[in-house]
Amino acid sequence: MSDDNTENNNHNLLESIYKHIEQGVCIHKIVYKDKQAVDYRITDANPAYVKILGIPLSEAKGLLGSELYESVEPFYIGIYADVAETGKSTSFVSYYSPLEKHFNITVTSHEKGKFITIFDDITKIKNKQKKLREQERSGEYSLDYIPENIAVLDQKGIVQYTNKAWDKFTKRGGITASEIKVGTNYLNICKKQAESLPCSPYIGIKDVINKKKESFVMEYKYAFSENSKWYKMKATSFRKEGNYKVLITHEDITGQYTTLREKLKNSKKRLQNMLSAIPDLVSIHDKDMNIVYSNWKGFGDIDQDRRILGSKCYKTYRNYNQICPDCLAKEVFKTKSSFKKITKLDNDKWYEIRVIPIKDNYDNQSGKELFLEWVRDISELKKREEDIKYISFHDRITDLFNRSFMEQKIKNIDKKDNFSIGIILIDINGLKLVNSGYGHQAGDEMLKKTAELLGLCIGKKDILARWDGDQFIILLSQTNHVEVKKTVNKIQEKALDYQSNQNQMFSVGVGYAIKNDDKQDIYKVLYRAEDKLEKDKLTKNRSDKHKLVENLLNTLKAKSDETREHAERMKYYAHKLGEEIALENEDLNKLSLLANLHDIGKIDISEDILSKPDKLTKEEWQIIKTHPEKGYTIAKSTEEFSSIAESILYHHERWDGKGYPDGLSGEEIPILARIISIVDAYDVMTHRRAYTEPKSQKEAMIELKRCAGTQFDPILVDSFLNIFKD
């Protein structure tokens, strides 16, 4: 008896018996609508239940009862919801037509809002009842022809019928036929049997007799004189001629049990192998903190000589001499509920610890209270969470706080007892132009440098963040106008110092405002700072952008043939041609500007390509052809030059449509672009370049005439040549 119990306990310890019991077990969750239970959803099931359903578990999971059974009667929903809410178990008999089977369904709950159904196939008993009824109706009623042992009780528990198989069964158990004959009270016999059975069927059968249950099932082991056998007792209600009866059977399941034990042995081995493959520590302890089982993985991967079952968990795993101060076991035993926590242990790693109460029992027999501890190393996950949190609140380029962080900070700091709040907004003048002219890498460097300079201007309690593309924000708490103004002056001084020391164009616009009344809206204070910033930018922006463009042109002239003299000659000839065709003064001014800036897009092309004396390679030529679009971007980034952006973009288009970048032809090409292409070609031909000797004026004019109608606008060429006739 003790060996069997030990093996059963081990099986239950690993919770594998549920995979092999013949009863179908299914876990459901109640679905509510407007706080009313309207349906339920399958969350898990054992193989026996899956077999009943006839569909794979993967398909069954998540299905609603109404989807599975086409419709669910409100009566059943009410039963299930009551069990799920109150935890009180119930049972009933139901017929499942797709399988043509009868089931005794026990409904219980392990967690509020959820319920478990246990399906016990009672089809054989129902068929026997049906056969009995048919025999009664035909006048051929005889239990002796049925091989199963059967007894029929009335509503008081008195035996009314028994068959020969029943007499043989009771005699083998040491009970004579006279002790359990017709007229005997079977409930009294059940009381006597309770002394030799592990649990008494008395209450269960009594509940069926008293109509509290439609059926009762109990499995038990009985020791005969020659051997021991396992039986399944079933008590099922039925009606005979309108009278309430109870059918009792004892089915020999020894063969099934032997097969089950073998399956459970194999299952135990598989589960142990599976647990050994899990990287987390899975450890089972008793109430005295002794280790009952461990897979010795993860946090439990300790030296072999310390891996001792029966040792104290706190000593074995953490080398403590007493129970761990953060142990959850006491709370688990007290509440009978699972607990989970995330904590950092002595080895400086983060762990997720789940503690789950379990009971070492079988067939409702009382067992030892245990708890399972599942310990998972989440240090990497924790680090990723911290990284994500950092990224979500920091700017990628400057590593300052970002707008999301600052908006939250503004909400937190805006309290009644903290109304002296200063807001400073800083805007980098010309950042878009720097990005367009020198590339985004140069723009990023300017952002980093600005962040560095601003960091030198604030106090320890002040908060600095990147607010927008080219804007920064400083939040000062418990401050006043003098302190805020002092910070603003320091910012402006640092910007001027940097510009002077680095001989580099660098300018910022600054606006600020102060909340000095707890009734003021913090966002209106922010708007005031933005308004001051815009006014400051208006006074600086135009001058600063002109300086930036001048820097771009100087950089271009330093690494190419784009000299000041070339630009001046182009302005002269372009102006002359414009006057020749009677352009308005506004367009003549644009031509002068275009003569200066038409090739500004070459700013980020390497000097090796721009000054190469030999013929350009195919790849180098493709790089050169990008400069109109680059120049267009630079011009569009400044209000003053945006009017000539389109002419910069198309000054290499050809009259015949074979130019670049868009292959425009004829008068599709803006007239200023057509003019500048003629003037540029003439000046390049008549002055020395790294790759060619200059032509004479006459030779250049002949070349222009030759290309009129293909490369150049023929009418404009004639007008240009007319200049020289005068």
Side-chain angles (χ1 to χ4, degrees), residues 18 43 341 362 376 574 696:
Y18 302 107
T43 61
K341 72 172 180 178
Y362 180 67
R376 172 170 294 174
S696 66

Side-chain angles (χ1 to χ4, degrees), residues 43-44 60 185 190 226 419 422 440 466 515 573 586 634 650:
T43 61
D44 201 2
N185 190 315
C190 289
E226 67 276 16
F419 53 82
H440 284 278
R466 186 178 175 195
K515 177 182 177 180
Y573 288 126
E586 183 181 352
I634 294 172
Y650 296 127

